[in-house]
Amino acid sequence: CGSGLSGDYISDEGHYWIGMDISPAMLDVAVEREVEGDLLLADMGHGVPFRPGMFDGCISISAVQWLCNADKKSHSPPKRLYRFFSTLYTALARGSRAVLQLYPENSEQLELITAQAMRAGFTGGMVVDYPNSTKAKKFFLCLFVGTSGPLPKGLGTECAAGEELHQAKFTNERTRFRNIKGKSVKKSRDWILEKKERRRRQGKEVRADTKYTGRKRRPRF
């Protein structure tokens, strides 16, 4: 929650809120500003320490990507992300939503964050504002607990021809290549098709799928 700037807007809208931050200095600023919300000194990577179904919603601004960093030897980014998302899922009431704005360093980091959110039980997807801009571009991970709703429309997502850009979505369904048992799935046809599909969702140029995709060639002399 930082110094509670976003909390002021939540209070103005008539909501009660509890903010958590890992920085004592930022929380001290929030106390000096006399914000109306309750404040908690905590590390997101240790989880959200609240009773099940306690909250109707959650917002986060430029915080989740820091869980991808291993600041200590004991830190495991996938485990810390899963701990955060799993406890957040428990703390949210059924039918509630979470909107987490973040700045991923690369596509791999974005995949890691969304994969751990999906593993924790969330549904939803990524909404991108101004995807063609380098300065105004923003990523919003919109998550749903229980029944999923329509994703909001990102700002600046209309192309010149009036067509809307596709937004990255994910569900709690397992991918095809994960269902194979007893075989090495890496570099298999399904594994390659899944990887190409992920890159397409990220807006990267990928060659079209053909009957030769993932074929095994004979070893050369």
Side-chain angles (χ1 to χ4, degrees), residues 40-54:
L40 175 67
L41 178 64
D43 181 0
M44 292 168 53
H46 293 165
V48 180
F50 295 102
R51 295 194 308 270
M54 186 172 178

Side-chain angles (χ1 to χ4, degrees), residues 1 8 17 35 53 66-67 70 73 80 99 108 110 119 121 136 146 187 189 203-204 207-209 219:
C1 65
D8 290 340
W17 58 275
V35 296
W66 298 112
L67 294 178
K73 289 184 178 179
R80 285 169 59 79
V99 178
E108 287 76 15
L110 194 62
R119 182 185 169 202
K187 302 299 182 180
R189 177 179 171 82
K204 298 181 179 180
R207 289 185 179 181
D209 299 335

